[in-house]
Amino acid sequence: QRLDPANADPIVVCDLGAGSGSFAFHFLRRLTTLCERHAVDPHAFLYVLTDQAEKNVEFWEGHERFQPFFGQGLLDVATFDVETGDALHLRRSGRVVQPGGLRQPLVVVANYLFDSISQDLYYIYKGRYAHTHVSLSADQDPTGMTALELVDHLLVDYSYHLAIEPAYPEPWLEQVLQSYLGVLEGAHLLFPANAMRALERLRALSAQGVLVLSADKGYHHLDDLDHRPPSEIARHGSSLSVMVNYHVLRSYCELTGGTALIPPALHYQIDVQCLVMTPAAAQHIETAAAYQRVVREFGPDEFFALMQQAAGNLRAMGLEAEIGRAHV
């Protein structure tokens, strides 16, 4: 969407679960450079750092690198729980963004977020689905263990209960789930219901909808879903995470009339998705072209692979050999 000079509202970029804020810092530096280069007022944008942890919000507010952006009015912060939040309470300006409160589309950044919020798990077989209940236990007495020690001793068990009633009170969620019954056979389906609920609440903040940029470990092809075993639970210190089923998020996006921009093939390190859930989503051809250029042709996944290869061979690489190879 092109910037509308008659619309005084900025485009809000909401960074969910922003952690250290490193991504936001580099984003804002690049954004201000691009605005200067193309004679665009940077105040056409407002970046909002959010996290559930109050200590992270306080850290951003006190960080010296963010002070210039706060001073220019380009950055704000908010405490926001992804699984329950339905409004943005901006700490610096005091503004509360409630449903319908934005006149511009909302941009949501969700990097390494959906893998760490709760998901549902189903087993699909012969056109029916069963609730898959996950239980955790320890392989030895956990008394006195720290959280870090306990994670190393966790055991995961699964039990199955055939569904006899709709799984969700929201018809649209049930419709997404039901859409997999005829196409999967003997598969465990990770179903990011809470991620979709969160996006639905965020989408309601603007009558112009939402654009979601998400990078995470996950999968997005239908072939990746069929005959899939229960999702492996990854351990990160004292925390746990699972894969993200981006195919389900794509189904949800398309159900709303949106357009999902996805990588062309299997990823190596990271899956980068763009969900355009705005009016006339298919007409945002410049957004699609940008995704083609910076993700599909050569994106973060290819960059990580290249850096890994270079790191292992850097000492053996000679400048003359590389210049010669470049001319071949």
Side-chain angles (χ1 to χ4, degrees):
Q1 174 172 328
R2 295 187 181 277
L3 297 177
D4 182 2
N7 191 340
D9 274 3
I11 294 177
V12 174
V13 181
C14 179
D15 193 340
L16 299 178
S20 68
S22 177
F23 177 87
F25 173 71
H26 292 289
F27 182 100
L28 285 166
R29 288 185 64 187
R30 180 61 175 165
L31 177 64
T32 52
T33 298
L34 289 174
C35 286
E36 181 180 356
R37 182 180 300 169
H38 296 282
V40 173
D41 184 354
H43 295 93
F45 304 91
L46 174 65
Y47 200 100
V48 179
L49 280 162
T50 77
D51 204 292
Q52 184 178 359
E54 174 66 24
K55 65 178 183 180
N56 285 348
V57 180
E58 294 175 353
F59 171 77
W60 304 327
E61 288 191 290
H63 201 292
E64 61 179 355
R65 293 293 187 93
F66 285 137
Q67 299 314 307
F69 299 117
F70 285 135
Q72 296 172 61
L74 303 178
L75 178 64
D76 213 319
V77 299
T79 303
F80 186 77
D81 186 337
V82 174
E83 298 201 25
T84 62
D86 57 4
L88 293 173
H89 296 259
L90 306 185
R91 295 262 277 261
R92 309 291 296 194
S93 68
R95 179 185 179 186
V96 179
V97 180
Q98 296 179 327
L102 297 177
R103 291 191 293 170
Q104 299 273 24
L106 174 66
V107 177
V108 170
V109 176
N111 292 331
Y112 289 105
L113 174 79
F114 296 142
D115 68 343
S116 55
I117 65 175
S118 59
Q119 302 189 52
D120 298 329
L121 182 62
Y122 298 97
Y123 182 71
I124 295 179
Y125 182 70
K126 293 186 176 180
R128 303 185 70 180
Y129 65 89
H131 300 274
T132 305
H133 294 175
V134 182
S135 60
L136 302 177
S137 59
D139 59 8
Q140 57 182 259
D141 186 357
T143 303
M145 287 186 185
T146 65
L148 182 61
E149 293 169 337
L150 181 57
V151 166
D152 288 334
H153 292 277
L154 282 180
L155 299 175
V156 183
D157 294 300
Y158 302 92
S159 60
Y160 302 88
H161 304 273
L162 189 65
I164 57 176
E165 296 181 353
Y168 300 106
E170 302 97 329
W172 59 272
L173 265 181
E174 187 68 22
Q175 183 177 349
V176 175
L177 177 59
Q178 292 281 343
S179 69
Y180 289 93
L181 299 189
V183 294
L184 297 180
E185 183 67 26
H188 289 84
L189 180 72
L190 262 177
F191 196 77
N194 280 335
M196 289 183 281
R197 287 181 174 123
L199 295 181
E200 193 69 5
R201 292 193 301 272
L202 290 166
R203 188 164 71 104
L205 296 181
S206 171
Q208 299 301 316
V210 64
L211 181 145
V212 182
L213 292 169
S214 179
D216 218 318
K217 56 177 187 177
Y219 39 83
H220 59 270
H221 285 293
L222 186 61
D223 290 344
D224 296 330
L225 306 186
D226 218 0
H227 305 293
R228 194 170 190 89
S231 181
E232 178 182 354
I233 299 178
R235 294 165 168 82
H236 313 277
S238 59
S239 62
L240 305 172
S241 68
V242 296
M243 300 287 278
V244 179
N245 190 338
Y246 278 116
H247 194 279
V248 170
L249 293 180
R250 173 186 178 181
S251 298
Y252 155 68
C253 172
E254 293 174 349
L255 176 66
T256 69
T259 297
L261 306 175
I262 63 174
L266 295 175
H267 62 282
Y268 176 63
Q269 290 278 2
I270 190 172
D271 216 336
V272 181
Q273 308 278 309
C274 179
L275 307 179
V276 185
M277 294 185 287
T278 63
Q283 296 181 18
H284 295 299
I285 56 176
E286 293 182 14
T287 299
Y291 183 88
Q292 173 72 24
R293 184 175 66 255
V294 301
V295 177
R296 293 175 65 94
E297 292 178 0
F298 187 87
D301 201 42
E302 288 77 15
F303 176 77
F304 289 158
L306 183 63
M307 290 300 293
Q308 279 193 333
Q309 180 68 19
N313 297 279
L314 190 60
R315 293 185 177 180
M317 295 171 64
L319 180 60
E320 292 182 359
E322 293 308 309
I323 292 176
R325 187 178 305 167
H327 287 286
V328 173

